[in-house]
Amino acid sequence: SVSSTSPGADSIINIGGRFYRRCNVQLISSNLSNHASSPVLSSLIDGGANGGMAGDDVRVISESSFNQANVSGMGESVIQNLSLATVAGLVTAHRGPAIVLLHQHANYGKGHTIHSSSQLRAFGTLVHDTPRGNGGLQRLITPDGYHIPLCYRSGLPYMDMRPPNDNEMDTLPHILLTGDDI
C-alpha cells in the first residue's frame, strides 16, 4: 500500500512500511544531433524475408553486374534491379571482433541490412531469435562455432554490425553466414 502524509514537495511517502521523502522533480529535455553521438548500427534478423538486403552498415566486397533482384515490401512497393553482392560487416562474437561475410544480398546501400533467417539457416547457421526473457538463446551460432549475440530493439532481433575498415578486413577472422550459390 502507498500512503502520503501531506501534499507538497517534501512530503514523506510510506510504501510497504518503508518511508521515502518525495522530492521535486524537474523534467529536462535535450536534443542531440546525429554528429554528436555514434549510433549503434544494427541489422535486422527477419523471419519473413526470403533473402538478404544490404544497407549502409556493411562494406561491399563484390557485386554482380548480371544477377539482380527486385525487393518488394509493404503494399505495392518494389525496389527493382538491385545487384546481388557479397558484403562484409564487423560484429563482436564470443571470441572477439570478427568479419561476417554475406553472399547473395540485394545491394540497396541505404539503411539497415536485413538478414533472412531462412537464408542464414539454409547455410547452417543456427538462428536462436527468441529473447532470453522468453527462454531463448538470443544469438546466432555459425557452422564454425562462433556465437554472435542478438539485441532486441522495439521487439525485433538485431545483430549489431558496422562496415569494417581495411585493417580489420586484413587482420580479423572471417565468418561465412550465407552461401554464394544461387
Side-chain angles (χ1 to χ4, degrees):
S1 76
V2 177
S3 65
S4 178
T5 56
S6 64
D10 279 345
S11 61
I12 303 296
I13 300 171
N14 179 352
I15 301 175
R18 292 184 183 235
F19 292 90
Y20 299 91
R21 181 174 300 279
R22 184 183 319 178
C23 300
N24 283 333
V25 177
Q26 182 179 9
L27 180 61
I28 299 172
S29 177
S30 61
N31 293 319
L32 299 175
S33 63
N34 285 339
H35 66 359
S37 63
S38 56
V40 173
L41 295 177
S42 53
S43 55
L44 177 66
I45 306 297
D46 189 345
N50 62 0
M53 187 165 89
D56 59 9
D57 52 359
V58 292
R59 177 178 176 167
V60 176
I61 304 301
S62 66
E63 245 178 316
S64 171
S65 59
F66 57 90
N67 288 325
Q68 295 186 334
N70 295 331
V71 178
S72 60
M74 299 290 287
E76 302 292 320
S77 64
V78 177
I79 303 170
Q80 295 184 339
N81 303 320
L82 295 177
S83 61
L84 292 181
T86 296
V87 297
L90 176 76
V91 300
T92 300
H94 76 295
R95 297 178 191 165
I99 306 297
V100 292
L101 295 175
L102 304 151
H103 297 290
Q104 302 297 321
H105 272 50
N107 186 17
Y108 187 52
K110 300 177 203 169
H112 297 281
T113 294
I114 299 173
H115 307 281
S116 162
S117 56
S118 297
Q119 186 181 19
L120 296 170
R121 285 183 176 109
F123 188 68
T125 298
L126 301 175
V127 180
H128 297 285
D129 54 359
T130 302
R132 282 188 291 274
N134 292 343
L137 296 177
Q138 196 173 321
R139 65 180 144 198
L140 303 178
I141 302 175
T142 68
D144 46 354
Y146 282 90
H147 294 219
I148 302 169
L150 300 178
C151 301
Y152 275 79
R153 295 184 180 94
S154 301
L156 297 172
Y158 287 88
M159 175 174 55
D160 289 344
M161 181 174 71
R162 68 166 175 78
N165 61 37
D166 289 340
N167 182 55
E168 292 163 335
M169 286 295 294
D170 293 339
T171 60
L172 294 176
H174 289 62
I175 305 167
L176 289 174
L177 284 187
T178 59
D180 61 355
D181 54 342
I182 294 179

